[in-house]
Amino acid sequence: MQVFVNGEVHTLASSVALAALLQQLGYCGEAFAVAVNGRFVPRTEYAATAIHQDDRLDIVAPVVGG
């Protein structure tokens, strides 16, 4: 199955929870926000949010600097 993360195609073996996908992609800590198909997902819902074929994820992290 394919999903799009920040515009890049990622191939997954099967549907997965958002929390597990973020872990696979190396996103750790608290300094980012996620939207799935244009909808912001609160951190408390990551484990319960299933990711499916052709879903589009936008992962945004703050940038330090001026």
Side-chain angles (χ1 to χ4, degrees), residues 29-64:
E30 309 241 346
F32 60 89
V34 180
V36 177
N37 298 323
R39 179 185 143 312
F40 170 74
V41 179
R43 189 173 303 277
T44 56
E45 295 179 17
Y46 286 3
T49 301
I51 301 302
H52 303 287
Q53 173 72 25
D54 295 327
D55 276 352
R56 296 184 180 277
L57 286 78
D58 295 299
I59 303 172
V60 181
V63 176
V64 178

Side-chain angles (χ1 to χ4, degrees), residues 1 4 6-7 12 14 16-19 21 26-29 39 41-42 44-45 50 52 55 58-59 64 66:
M1 125 175 152
F4 302 87
N6 292 342
L12 308 175
S14 62
V16 64
L18 176 57
L21 178 58
Y27 287 93
C28 302
R39 179 185 143 312
V41 179
T44 56
E45 295 179 17
H52 303 287
D55 276 352
D58 295 299
I59 303 172
V64 178

